[in-house]
Amino acid sequence: MKRSKVAVLAVAAAVCAALCLAGCASNHYEPAKKTQTVADSALKKPGVLRVGVNASAAPLAGKASSSSKVVGLDVDIAAAVADEMGVKVEIVDAGSDPASALRSGDVDMVLGADSSSTDTDYWRSDAYLQTGVALFSAKEGSSAPRVTDSVKIGAQVSSKSAWSVENLFGSNALTVEESLAVAFKDLKAGAVDYVASDALTGVYLAKTSGVDARVVALLQQPGGYCAGVSTSNLELQKAVSSALGKLASGGIIDVIELKWLGQKVDIASLTVISGSGATTVASQSDDSSDKGETSSSTDAASADATGSTSGATGTDTGSAASQSSSASATSGSPTTVTQGQVPTAQGQNQVQNQAQTS
């Protein structure tokens, strides 16, 4: 009798389990494949968008400390753009020269191009991320200094940020730092009053280094990062513009920015410091750039050169990223991203672009 009851209970449990599994299976979401909106003739490889990024420019793109994969803001945005076009994406480490990457035919599109560059070798989209040379403070309630104030401002050696500080506040106000990571450590310790840095890079480094710093002003008029496409590829230009516009209006880019920076950087609301406290105006050499050195932190590293903006040829950028991304690439080889996950405006995971290593 007892054996019969046990057998009945076992059968009932098995039926329940089967029903539960069936229910789970019936609720599995398989998204409809998006219609491809760009002709294969506009792509190097049919059905695939090859996107060049600078893997030495965190938080836009950088190698995770635990692997050789390239992750970052631009990697996620590339995946989202490809998803809008209904194609796969391959991420290629194209370095800091977008024009060369496009001329060589290695990529269809580059991300992280400087909006203020005068380079006419390739077409540039509207900026998908706003940035600028920003001034950071670690003091609660701190405001922007006047150019005549006696302040100490840390900036990475040979960077456009250092150039901006010297031109606005004078050489006595500038504390030259070997890297942005060191500059933010000095800010935390009170060795400097402010740090000058690219806004996005500074927010990222402050976040990953555990420094409670905030942007108080800009030292130059704001600029931004753009997508670049060959001047002759009109169809892809149109498709990229459309995709980026939809991602911006739909809040997807804001979500990606929030993921990597922990906040939406409102560049438009910041005061731009004007005037000059310098007795002589320094000149910026054409070959000046931010030469980064690795930070002791596993989550953030120092700056590296990515381009130029008004009056300067270097930008402050971090070089390592420890966070995961919805799309990534191994240095030297592209990564194919099929339909998988892209952040949504509501912060939910819609199944659209999930990375698969090629």
Side-chain angles (χ1 to χ4, degrees), residues 29-34 339-340 351-352:
Y29 175 63
E30 288 289 348
K33 185 176 181 181
K34 289 190 175 182
Q339 293 190 347
V351 182
Q352 293 175 356

mmCIF file of all heavy atoms in Angstrom, residues 29-34 339-340 351-352:
data_model
loop_
_atom_site.group_PDB
_atom_site.id
_atom_site.type_symbol
_atom_site.label_atom_id
_atom_site.label_comp_id
_atom_site.label_asym_id
_atom_site.label_seq_id
_atom_site.Cartn_x
_atom_site.Cartn_y
_atom_site.Cartn_z
ATOM 1 N N TYR A 29 10.729 33.792 -25.176
ATOM 2 C CA TYR A 29 10.543 34.843 -26.175
ATOM 3 C C TYR A 29 11.590 34.762 -27.276
ATOM 4 O O TYR A 29 12.777 34.813 -27.013
ATOM 5 C CB TYR A 29 10.627 36.218 -25.502
ATOM 6 C CG TYR A 29 10.568 37.377 -26.479
ATOM 7 C CD1 TYR A 29 9.433 37.584 -27.267
ATOM 8 C CD2 TYR A 29 11.646 38.248 -26.622
ATOM 9 C CE1 TYR A 29 9.374 38.628 -28.165
ATOM 10 C CE2 TYR A 29 11.592 39.302 -27.512
ATOM 11 C CZ TYR A 29 10.455 39.488 -28.282
ATOM 12 O OH TYR A 29 10.407 40.532 -29.173
ATOM 13 N N GLU A 30 11.134 34.591 -28.474
ATOM 14 C CA GLU A 30 12.016 34.597 -29.632
ATOM 15 C C GLU A 30 11.635 35.800 -30.493
ATOM 16 O O GLU A 30 10.585 35.824 -31.112
ATOM 17 C CB GLU A 30 11.843 33.299 -30.449
ATOM 18 C CG GLU A 30 12.412 32.062 -29.793
ATOM 19 C CD GLU A 30 13.934 32.061 -29.790
ATOM 20 O OE1 GLU A 30 14.527 32.917 -30.494
ATOM 21 O OE2 GLU A 30 14.526 31.229 -29.097
ATOM 22 N N PRO A 31 12.466 36.840 -30.511
ATOM 23 C CA PRO A 31 12.110 38.038 -31.271
ATOM 24 C C PRO A 31 12.127 37.793 -32.769
ATOM 25 O O PRO A 31 12.896 36.973 -33.264
ATOM 26 C CB PRO A 31 13.211 39.031 -30.881
ATOM 27 C CG PRO A 31 14.388 38.161 -30.578
ATOM 28 C CD PRO A 31 13.810 36.918 -29.932
ATOM 29 N N ALA A 32 11.270 38.503 -33.454
ATOM 30 C CA ALA A 32 11.266 38.419 -34.907
ATOM 31 C C ALA A 32 12.527 39.086 -35.436
ATOM 32 O O ALA A 32 12.947 40.133 -34.934
ATOM 33 C CB ALA A 32 10.030 39.121 -35.460
ATOM 34 N N LYS A 33 13.149 38.458 -36.394
ATOM 35 C CA LYS A 33 14.362 39.023 -36.971
ATOM 36 C C LYS A 33 14.024 40.312 -37.693
ATOM 37 O O LYS A 33 13.083 40.372 -38.484
ATOM 38 C CB LYS A 33 15.006 38.034 -37.939
ATOM 39 C CG LYS A 33 16.340 38.501 -38.494
ATOM 40 C CD LYS A 33 16.978 37.450 -39.377
ATOM 41 C CE LYS A 33 18.328 37.932 -39.908
ATOM 42 N NZ LYS A 33 18.956 36.921 -40.781
ATOM 43 N N LYS A 34 14.795 41.367 -37.435
ATOM 44 C CA LYS A 34 14.533 42.653 -38.062
ATOM 45 C C LYS A 34 14.894 42.614 -39.537
ATOM 46 O O LYS A 34 15.835 41.946 -39.951
ATOM 47 C CB LYS A 34 15.324 43.758 -37.357
ATOM 48 C CG LYS A 34 14.813 44.091 -35.969
ATOM 49 C CD LYS A 34 15.481 45.341 -35.433
ATOM 50 C CE LYS A 34 14.880 45.742 -34.101
ATOM 51 N NZ LYS A 34 15.494 46.994 -33.570
ATOM 52 N N GLN A 339 21.769 38.703 -33.390
ATOM 53 C CA GLN A 339 20.683 39.312 -32.640
ATOM 54 C C GLN A 339 20.704 38.815 -31.212
ATOM 55 O O GLN A 339 20.677 37.637 -30.961
ATOM 56 C CB GLN A 339 19.342 39.020 -33.299
ATOM 57 C CG GLN A 339 19.239 39.728 -34.649
ATOM 58 C CD GLN A 339 17.858 39.675 -35.212
ATOM 59 O OE1 GLN A 339 17.029 38.927 -34.750
ATOM 60 N NE2 GLN A 339 17.612 40.488 -36.208
ATOM 61 N N GLY A 340 20.737 39.730 -30.272
ATOM 62 C CA GLY A 340 20.848 39.401 -28.863
ATOM 63 C C GLY A 340 20.330 40.515 -28.005
ATOM 64 O O GLY A 340 19.274 41.036 -28.256
ATOM 65 N N VAL A 351 15.560 41.250 -26.370
ATOM 66 C CA VAL A 351 16.474 40.339 -27.060
ATOM 67 C C VAL A 351 16.702 40.868 -28.461
ATOM 68 O O VAL A 351 15.848 40.767 -29.298
ATOM 69 C CB VAL A 351 15.882 38.919 -27.110
ATOM 70 C CG1 VAL A 351 16.846 37.962 -27.777
ATOM 71 C CG2 VAL A 351 15.553 38.457 -25.707
ATOM 72 N N GLN A 352 17.897 41.496 -28.653
ATOM 73 C CA GLN A 352 18.199 42.072 -29.956
ATOM 74 C C GLN A 352 19.613 41.789 -30.414
ATOM 75 O O GLN A 352 19.825 41.375 -31.537
ATOM 76 C CB GLN A 352 17.935 43.588 -29.953
ATOM 77 C CG GLN A 352 16.454 43.907 -29.802
ATOM 78 C CD GLN A 352 16.222 45.408 -29.681
ATOM 79 O OE1 GLN A 352 17.148 46.195 -29.634
ATOM 80 N NE2 GLN A 352 14.970 45.783 -29.611
#
